[in-house]
């Protein structure tokens, strides 16, 4: 298994003036410690289940662009882009720019979006769930077309593009990896099987994750796809710094299921210090799991 760090919170000592240093120090600590992925959120208001809507929240792709210049090897992405926030053609260009400027380290994480308050607050249309999933599928199709040799038109029910030109092309070949985030069994995991190279599941418990993986295998079978092609990631609230042994015992179970990567949020008021301690505690034993 691999370790990833997800950085969803900006309310640290020092306020906004300290944000750039804390963020870059945490990303570098994760990279130096052997993490393979560093992610930010795609939100405009802080999530109310984490803090308050008035708490600090940075724009995700600007944050990743900043980190591209502060890191060297770690993969960078959002967990996950809300499909409602950016026109798909412009989103493809944004991720391409990140890929080029990071030296081929961008990942497109994307989902159907859910946070209605920030949509209403900032005047962003928030269509019904059915339409958001329709837009998500069209966006996946558009991005894949823009990262292909086909620069012709795209015509869908919600988006029409006359030219899907994307120059320069992403550095990664054939394209940056796509993660479809979420655990929905009928749509989300079906889109993973059809379009994505990564999935991300919330690790509520091992039984739930095992069931979701079985659902994904079924979708892959219907799509004629090998499930082993998909990197399976989970996001967990466990902390290897506070309870290393308990964390590793839990991860042994997930590794046996076929989970490839676990994403963790920093704990405490020193995210860079936590990242150094977490990687020291967990990267090597995680890498040995399944061997």
């Amino acid at each position: 298994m691999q370790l990833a760090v997800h950085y969803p919170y900006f309310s640290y000592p020092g306020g906004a003036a300290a944000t750039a240093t804390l963020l870059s120090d945490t990303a570098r600590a994760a990279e130096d410690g052997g993490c393979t992925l560093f992610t930010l959120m795609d939100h405009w208001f802080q999530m109310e289940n984490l803090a308050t809507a008035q708490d600090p929240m940075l724009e995700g792709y600007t944050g990743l662009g900043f980190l591209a210049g502060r890191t060297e090897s770690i993969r960078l992405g959002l967990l996950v882009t809300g499909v409602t926030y950016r026109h798909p053609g412009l989103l493809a260009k944004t991720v391409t720019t990140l890929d080029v400027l990071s030296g081929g380290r961008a990942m497109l994480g994307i989902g159907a979006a859910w946070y209605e308050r920030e949509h209403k607050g900032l005047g962003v249309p928030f269509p019904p769930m059915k339409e958001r999933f329709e837009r998500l599928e069209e966006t996946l199709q558009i991005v894949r077309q823009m990262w292909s040799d086909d620069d012709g038109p795209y015509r869908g029910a919600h988006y029409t593009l006359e030219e899907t030109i994307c120059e320069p092309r992403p550095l990664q070949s054939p394209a940056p990896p796509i993660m479809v985030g979420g655990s929905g069994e009928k749509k989300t995991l079906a889109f993973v099987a059809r379009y994505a190279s990564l999935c991300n599941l919330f690790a509520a418990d091992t039984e739930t994750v095992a069931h979701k993986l079985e659902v994904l295998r079924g979708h892959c079978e219907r799509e004629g796809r090998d499930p082993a092609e998909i990197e399976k990631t989970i996001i967990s609230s466990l902390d290897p710094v506070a309870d290393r042994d308990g964390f590793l015992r839990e991860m042994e179970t997930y590794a046996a299921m076929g989970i490839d990567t676990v994403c963790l949020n920093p704990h405490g008021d020193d995210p860079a210090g936590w990242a150094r301690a977490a990687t020291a505690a967990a990267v090597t034993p995680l890498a040995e799991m399944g061997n």
Side-chain angles (χ1 to χ4, degrees):
M1 285 184 77
Q2 300 172 341
L3 184 64
V5 171
H6 179 53
Y7 196 101
Y9 186 71
F10 297 93
S11 298
Y12 289 112
T19 296
T21 298
L22 282 173
L23 179 59
S24 62
D25 285 354
T26 306
R28 285 199 294 261
E31 179 176 78
D32 292 345
C35 289
T36 57
L37 173 66
F38 192 92
T39 59
L40 302 176
M41 292 201 300
D42 193 26
H43 284 300
W44 307 85
F45 294 172
Q46 177 58 272
M47 296 189 304
E48 293 169 281
N49 63 351
L50 186 61
T52 74
Q54 288 78 20
D55 275 89
M57 178 52 57
L58 298 186
E59 195 282 314
Y61 281 107
T62 307
L64 293 178
F66 168 74
L67 291 176
R70 297 298 183 101
T71 57
E72 296 180 357
S73 61
I74 199 165
R75 186 164 55 181
L76 301 169
L78 296 188
L79 192 63
V80 292
T81 307
V83 72
T84 50
Y85 297 134
R86 299 167 188 83
H87 190 284
L90 305 184
L91 175 61
K93 286 291 294 184
T94 298
V95 178
T96 298
T97 300
L98 177 63
D99 198 61
V100 170
L101 296 182
S102 68
R105 294 187 283 129
M107 177 196 76
L108 171 59
I110 192 164
W114 60 269
Y115 195 177
E116 186 173 9
R117 178 174 178 175
E118 64 187 355
H119 288 77
K120 288 184 174 180
L122 298 177
V124 178
F126 187 67
M129 183 181 295
K130 179 178 182 295
E131 181 178 330
R132 298 201 309 274
F133 274 99
E134 292 169 354
R135 289 178 178 271
L136 175 58
E137 183 161 28
E138 290 190 18
T139 296
L140 289 163
Q141 293 169 353
I142 290 165
V143 167
R144 283 162 56 103
Q145 181 169 325
M146 289 189 67
W147 290 341
S148 75
D149 294 329
D150 180 1
D151 62 3
Y154 175 91
R155 294 184 175 88
H158 301 286
Y159 301 110
T160 298
L161 288 70
E162 294 301 330
E163 297 180 279
T164 50
I165 296 170
C166 188
E167 291 293 340
R169 299 288 293 276
L171 295 187
Q172 293 183 79
S173 180
I178 295 173
M179 169 193 283
V180 176
S183 302
E185 297 181 12
K186 293 182 179 179
K187 291 288 188 180
T188 303
L189 294 179
F191 289 171
V192 171
R194 193 172 304 150
Y195 300 110
S197 49
L198 301 92
C199 67
N200 183 256
L201 306 171
F202 178 67
D205 55 68
T206 54
E207 293 79 10
T208 299
V209 172
H211 171 69
K212 300 296 182 180
L213 293 175
E214 188 60 33
V215 172
L216 177 59
R217 279 190 286 271
H219 286 302
C220 287
E221 183 176 348
R222 286 184 284 276
E223 294 291 334
R225 189 167 181 201
D226 183 355
E229 298 175 1
I230 298 168
E231 181 179 336
K232 300 160 189 73
T233 79
I234 55 172
I235 187 162
S236 173
S237 61
L238 299 177
D239 182 4
V241 178
D243 182 6
R244 179 180 184 271
D245 291 343
F247 171 80
L248 294 176
R249 280 196 301 272
E250 189 87 349
M251 291 307 113
E252 285 275 9
T253 302
Y254 285 115
M257 292 179 190
I259 295 296
D260 302 294
T261 302
V262 56
C263 308
L264 302 178
N265 301 344
H267 291 248
D269 287 336
D270 179 10
W274 175 88
R276 287 188 287 271
T279 54
V283 165
T284 297
L286 285 175
E288 294 171 349
M289 290 181 184
N291 291 340

